[in-house]
Structure formats: C-alpha cells, structure tokens
Amino acid sequence: MEAICDRGNVETAMRAVQRNKGAPGIDGMTVEQLPGVFARRWAAIAGELVEGRYTPQPVRRVKIPKPDGGERNLGIPTVIDRVIQQAILQRLQPEWDRTFSEHSYGFRPERSAHQAVAAAQAYVTGGARFVVDMDLAKFFDRVNHDRLMAKVAERIADKRVLRLIRGFLRAGVLDNGVLEASVEGTPQGGPLSPLLSNLVLDELDRELERRGLNFVRYADDCNIYVGSEKAGRRVMASITRFIEGRLKLQVNEEKSAVDRPWNRTFLGFTLKEKAGFPRAVAAKPLVRFKYRVRQLTRRPRGVSLERMIADLNPLLRGWGGYFSFSQGHELKVLDGWIRRRLRCLLWAQWKTPARRFKELRRRGVGEKPARAASSSSKGPWRLSLSKALHLALGNRTFRDLGLVSMTEIAHA
C-alpha cells in the first residue's frame, strides 16, 4: 500500500486519468478539477488508504449502445477513485503481466488487437481450417467476486490492498438515483477492471495451454484453432463445461460456433478463403461505418461542406488507423465512395442548371461537358461518376478542403 501511495506513483496516475479524460462519477467532479482537489485532499486520502480505512464510492451507471442493438453497462468511478485504481494498476501490472499467457493480447502493454489478428491468421495459414469461436455472455457483469479475490490473494499479501480491491468490486452502482449492490462483476469503466479480467481468464488460458490447443484471446473474445470440425465440436463442448463449471461464467451459445475462419469475425476482421488467407474488414464493421458516414453526410443537416468534412475526419482517422491492418482494398474503395457522396451533396446544393453550369466552369470544366452535365436529367448519384464532376471536384479538391484519406493513413 505504501508503494501504491508513493507521491510519484500517484502523480503519474493523476496525469494518466487526465489524459484519458472521461465523464464525472457520482460526485460530479471533472478531470479538470482534479489537480486542485488533489492538492487539498490527497494527504487525508493517503492516510485513509495506508490505515486501511478508505471506502470507494459507488460507480455511476452509463448505458452505451452495442453494434448488435443491445446495450453495454459502463460503471464510471469518481475521478478520485479512478486515480487510486490507476495507482494500483501501475504497481500490479508490471508484476502480473509477465506471468500471463503469450496467447493473451487484450489490455496488456506492448500488445494489440492487430497482433491477435495476425496470430489467428498464422494458425490458419499453418493448417488449422476450423475455429472454435467462443463468446462469453456478459463477462464483465458475471465475474465471481470470491473466485477473483482468491486469485488476487495468491499474488498480494497486503490485506489493506486486498480490502481496497474488494471495496472497488463491492462499491455498488448508482442508476437513476437508485443504489444497487454489486454482488458479482467488474464494472467496465475503471482502470483496474481490465487487469482483473485478465487475471480471471488466465485460468482459461492455462487450461487451453495444458491441452496443447492453438488459441488467441483478446479480453473475453477467445478463438481456438483446430484441424477438423469434429475436433472443434469436441473442444467446444469440453471448454464450455470448464468455463461454466470451473470459472462460473456463461458461454453465449447464440454467438459461439465451430466454423470456417473465413465465415467468422475476430476483432473486426475476417480472413479471405484464398491463397495466404489475407486479412479483410468484416462485413458488420463495414455496414456500421457506412451507416455512420451516411448520418454525417445526409442532405438535411444544413451545414457547410467544410463543417461536414471536419465532422467526418475523426471517424476516418480512427477507422482508417485501425483497419489499415487489412490486406484488402476496402479503404481505397471507401475513400472513393465518400468523395462520391460529397460530390452528390454539392451537386444538390447548387440546385439550378444555371448555378451548376457556373460552378463547373469556374472549376475548369469545358463549356460543352459543363452544359451537358448541368442540363442532364440524371440524378446526383449517377452524375457523381461523370467526367465533368470528377474534373471539377477531384481528389485534390477534397484534399485541399482537408478531407482525410484513409488510404494514405494505411500507407503512412
């Protein structure tokens, strides 16, 4: 506990919480207020921690939509509790992480989702043509506190730290003014929860290693790679018994399956059934991305093209940065599709044939093609492919307006 409360460790934790920003907890304190509150109150809080008297506050429940239409519960701790959790994390993670499985990639330093996808791809190219795709139902909500604390106690002797961690687990949830007790689960939203989740699932990793299975796990997404469908069904049945009987967790039967890897999605990617099994963006992320772009570029928004591009760019940077790991050409195709939508919008905004003719001519289009396009009865979507609009509103035009190119991100 003294190491956790070390001034340098806590100040590092405070800076990490400030960088991560995030919403206030139940007390309404923001990360911007943290330095002043820290200066006034930290000595008293540190005293309570060292004496084993500190009591974490309940978390604030926030529901966020899931891509499948459901909702995910987030538990937002107070800013002070986030600093304390981060301080604990900074002391425990370096010690614990080196004991975790090499097949675990989620929430770990120097490890990423891209590495997990590459490892899965390597198993398939190595001959594993079936995957046991296991999904844990509401994993973060169903972690057994007693089993988790028993695992923590195997690694920590300081009873003050054990009491504090259990306090965070049992702090309760404030939902619309009603306090709910926490009898199981590790609330998503606190810095410590990912480390505790890896500790829970390390037991699964060790069981899979003991059986000599090829697997990749990222948080609660676990894929096991086998040579035949029969072997996959046998593994699915036996590992399900282990997860539900030993770990007291539940396998989501609707989302879990034994299938070909190219029929499944892992961390937003899938593999193509062709030479080398190249990585590609899975269908669902593509659908969600296009839906979001359509929302940002819909005609009734009534904003300027520059504002629309400014709204688009954060999505393009994030999406392009993550899916640049694809070995397909999706980003190039999507870049072209986005520019086409923006051409349609401008064409619709110009409205009259006279205005359209004037704008095309102003942008260097010859008189004959400009007149043909401006007087055409074709709709904006078809005309967006015309030579006149491509010349007037080419790639360079959108680059000058600041539109991010996901293809360039991928090649950077």
Side-chain angles (χ1 to χ4, degrees):
M1 183 62 80
E2 281 77 10
I4 289 168
C5 293
D6 173 77
R7 184 86 182 190
N9 184 54
V10 173
E11 288 178 350
T12 301
M14 183 176 68
R15 289 193 292 271
V17 169
Q18 288 178 299
R19 282 196 305 273
N20 294 335
K21 298 181 180 179
I26 64 170
D27 61 358
M29 186 192 302
T30 66
V31 292
E32 289 77 18
Q33 296 171 298
L34 183 57
V37 175
F38 178 84
R40 293 192 305 271
R41 293 179 51 195
W42 177 247
I45 293 171
E48 291 179 18
L49 288 167
V50 170
E51 293 169 13
R53 296 185 294 105
Y54 185 83
T55 302
Q57 295 196 60
V59 299
R60 182 170 65 88
R61 175 166 290 163
V62 176
K63 297 180 183 292
I64 59 172
K66 294 173 67 174
D68 60 7
E71 289 182 322
R72 176 181 287 111
N73 289 330
L74 285 186
I76 309 299
T78 65
V79 174
I80 291 293
D81 281 348
R82 293 211 292 272
V83 172
I84 295 170
Q85 287 194 34
Q86 180 67 30
I88 297 172
L89 176 71
Q90 289 167 185
R91 290 304 188 195
L92 298 188
Q93 189 160 49
E95 298 296 324
W96 292 11
D97 190 78
R98 60 190 180 195
T99 70
F100 291 154
S101 169
E102 63 177 311
H103 305 284
S104 165
Y105 292 87
F107 309 131
R108 297 183 62 188
E110 310 299 327
R111 290 184 163 242
S112 68
H114 289 174
Q115 291 174 333
V117 173
Q121 183 184 28
Y123 284 133
V124 177
T125 57
R129 296 294 187 265
F130 284 86
V131 60
V132 182
D133 186 352
M134 306 200 75
D135 182 88
L136 301 183
K138 296 184 177 179
F139 165 69
F140 286 93
D141 296 334
R142 290 179 171 158
V143 170
N144 182 282
H145 288 175
D146 291 336
R147 294 198 81 261
L148 171 56
M149 289 308 303
K151 289 292 179 185
V152 175
E154 291 175 4
R155 295 167 177 255
I156 296 176
D158 192 327
K159 288 183 169 52
R160 297 167 299 175
V161 179
L162 295 175
R163 193 179 303 116
L164 180 60
I165 293 175
R166 184 178 283 276
F168 282 119
L169 294 174
R170 303 295 296 272
V173 179
L174 196 66
D175 188 4
N176 291 323
V178 178
L179 181 61
E180 299 177 7
S182 299
V183 295
E184 62 180 359
T186 60
Q188 288 180 269
L192 197 53
S193 291
L195 179 64
L196 296 179
S197 71
N198 271 334
L199 182 61
V200 171
L201 292 176
D202 186 60
E203 193 170 353
L204 171 62
D205 297 342
R206 298 309 174 189
E207 179 66 15
L208 296 173
E209 289 176 345
R210 186 184 68 80
R211 299 186 187 196
L213 295 169
N214 296 321
F215 72 97
V216 179
R217 183 177 66 77
Y218 190 96
D220 55 340
D221 288 332
C222 185
N223 281 5
I224 306 166
Y225 294 87
V226 296
S228 69
E229 184 176 8
K230 182 178 179 181
R233 298 200 177 283
R234 185 173 64 248
V235 168
M236 174 70 84
S238 62
I239 296 301
T240 297
R241 287 195 298 271
F242 176 83
I243 290 172
E244 297 184 347
R246 181 72 174 271
L247 302 185
K248 308 302 180 186
L249 299 170
Q250 186 176 340
V251 174
N252 188 328
E253 294 183 2
E254 292 183 3
K255 294 185 178 180
S256 301
V258 177
D259 205 343
R260 297 288 193 177
W262 42 88
N263 294 333
R264 306 297 294 179
T265 297
F266 183 49
L267 301 176
F269 292 90
T270 189
L271 301 179
K272 292 294 185 181
E273 190 184 5
K274 57 172 65 173
F277 302 98
R279 302 180 295 270
V281 182
K284 286 185 178 179
L286 278 173
V287 170
R288 291 195 296 268
F289 174 79
K290 285 192 167 187
Y291 173 79
R292 184 63 181 140
V293 170
R294 289 189 181 99
Q295 290 294 105
L296 291 171
T297 59
R298 65 188 187 276
R299 292 182 198 174
R301 283 194 70 198
V303 300
S304 68
L305 181 64
E306 289 80 3
R307 170 63 187 276
M308 200 169 282
I309 288 173
D311 291 343
L312 271 173
N313 280 343
L315 172 66
L316 304 185
R317 288 191 188 95
W319 209 87
Y322 183 74
F323 285 106
S324 63
F325 196 58
S326 169
Q327 294 172 309
H329 301 287
E330 301 95 342
L331 299 187
K332 183 177 181 180
V333 172
L334 289 171
D335 274 342
W337 174 74
I338 291 167
R339 289 192 295 267
R340 188 178 177 187
R341 283 192 62 84
L342 296 177
R343 288 188 191 103
C344 287
L345 283 167
L346 276 177
W347 192 249
Q349 286 177 4
W350 293 341
K351 293 183 179 179
T352 66
R355 170 79 185 279
R356 289 169 175 171
F357 177 76
K358 179 180 177 181
E359 293 290 349
L360 290 176
R361 290 288 289 147
R362 187 166 70 85
R363 287 167 167 78
V365 180
E367 181 176 353
K368 186 175 180 180
R371 197 169 300 282
S374 59
S375 61
S376 173
S377 61
K378 295 178 182 177
W381 187 248
R382 290 185 64 186
L383 275 173
S384 64
L385 290 176
S386 68
K387 185 175 180 180
L389 261 71
H390 268 267
L391 179 60
L393 301 169
N395 295 0
R396 183 174 179 177
T397 299
F398 292 112
R399 189 182 302 114
D400 291 344
L401 287 168
L403 182 68
V404 167
S405 166
M406 294 189 292
T407 308
E408 292 178 4
I409 291 175
H411 293 155

